[in-house]
Amino acid sequence: MRQGSIPPHLYKGPSMNPTLRSPDILQIVPYSDDRKIQCGDVIVFVPPGRSISVTHRVTAVDVRGIRTRGDNNSLPDDWNLTPEMVLGRVVYAHRAKGKRRIYGGLPGRIIGNSLLAGRYLDLKISFLLRPIYHFLAGTSLFRAILPSRLRPRIKTLKRSIGDEYLLLMGKFTIGYRVPGVDSWHIRRPFRLFVDKSLL
């Protein structure tokens, strides 16, 4: 495990959604003799054979090493980590609206398992409803009945790495596009109200 101060990290990618979202700024603390790596912690580490850090949740710590999985991933990562590969644990995530605590240990394990169970349930339901959802999203049926004050609009956020775009419906964020990515991520069921060809 690495000691000393750790600079804030910029989180990118979807693998830890909804716990983390690009471009969250992560506050990381190193592990010490008083605080060991625990199942449920969200850690920043450099996997074997790579030079870029990854942020995932710890799913097991045993004689084989430290194993991880992203909260938005169905399968565990295919590496076993050693403590020396771990930069530290994420304690806070900063985004436009403020700072959020990131829980580890037992609360983190409960959160991670709940998200995994919800993901499996979502996949089962989505499989059955996906054809209907895509058909309806391709029509203008729901867009036609949407009041004008709720019509989706785009807000631009200036970031050091480029512009981030938020898709708003009223006061709520229903989708986003991060810097360097050409596609939009629109939360279900809001795709029914968005004409993606206009974005």
Side-chain angles (χ1 to χ4, degrees):
M1 287 174 282
R2 310 190 182 200
Q3 299 295 325
S5 143
I6 301 174
H9 271 53
L10 178 69
Y11 174 75
K12 294 182 183 179
S15 68
M16 280 297 290
N17 291 353
T19 307
L20 301 174
R21 185 169 71 81
S22 185
D24 284 351
I25 304 295
L26 307 182
Q27 183 178 334
I28 304 159
V29 297
Y31 284 95
S32 65
D33 293 336
D34 298 330
R35 176 68 157 79
K36 304 292 185 188
I37 298 170
Q38 299 178 41
C39 188
D41 288 357
V42 175
I43 61 172
V44 178
F45 57 93
V46 179
R50 298 198 188 179
S51 58
I52 298 174
S53 64
V54 173
T55 304
H56 279 175
R57 193 179 297 276
V58 176
T59 57
V61 180
D62 56 30
V63 293
R64 291 180 292 171
I66 303 156
R67 289 187 301 289
T68 56
R69 178 180 57 79
D71 284 353
N72 196 30
N73 294 344
S74 301
L75 299 174
D77 298 327
D78 59 359
W79 47 65
N80 290 332
L81 305 173
T82 63
E84 293 72 31
M85 297 173 182
V86 177
L87 300 174
R89 65 187 169 97
V90 179
V91 290
Y92 288 101
H94 300 262
R95 66 178 67 145
K97 294 182 181 176
K99 177 168 89 168
R100 281 186 320 107
R101 174 104 186 254
I102 303 300
Y103 292 95
L106 180 59
R109 191 182 321 176
I110 292 168
I111 291 167
N113 289 339
S114 298
L115 291 170
L116 181 61
R119 184 168 173 74
Y120 279 126
L121 182 62
D122 181 56
L123 287 172
K124 297 289 185 188
I125 293 172
S126 295
F127 178 75
L128 297 173
L129 298 180
R130 187 178 296 126
I132 299 168
Y133 179 70
H134 284 290
F135 171 76
L136 291 174
T139 70
S140 60
L141 177 66
F142 289 90
R143 294 191 293 275
I145 62 173
L146 192 66
S148 59
R149 63 185 169 78
L150 292 179
R151 299 242 186 250
R153 67 187 194 287
I154 296 173
K155 178 179 179 181
T156 304
L157 300 176
K158 298 291 184 186
R159 304 287 190 197
S160 60
I161 57 171
D163 291 345
E164 176 185 4
Y165 300 99
L166 301 180
L167 189 61
L168 305 174
M169 182 180 282
K171 294 187 285 187
F172 299 100
T173 301
I174 63 168
Y176 60 89
R177 194 177 94 189
V178 296
V181 177
D182 291 333
S183 60
W184 284 84
H185 175 77
I186 301 173
R187 292 181 6 231
R188 285 193 311 264
F190 298 105
R191 176 69 182 83
L192 297 172
F193 304 100
V194 176
D195 184 351
K196 287 186 83 172
S197 67
L198 299 178
L199 296 178

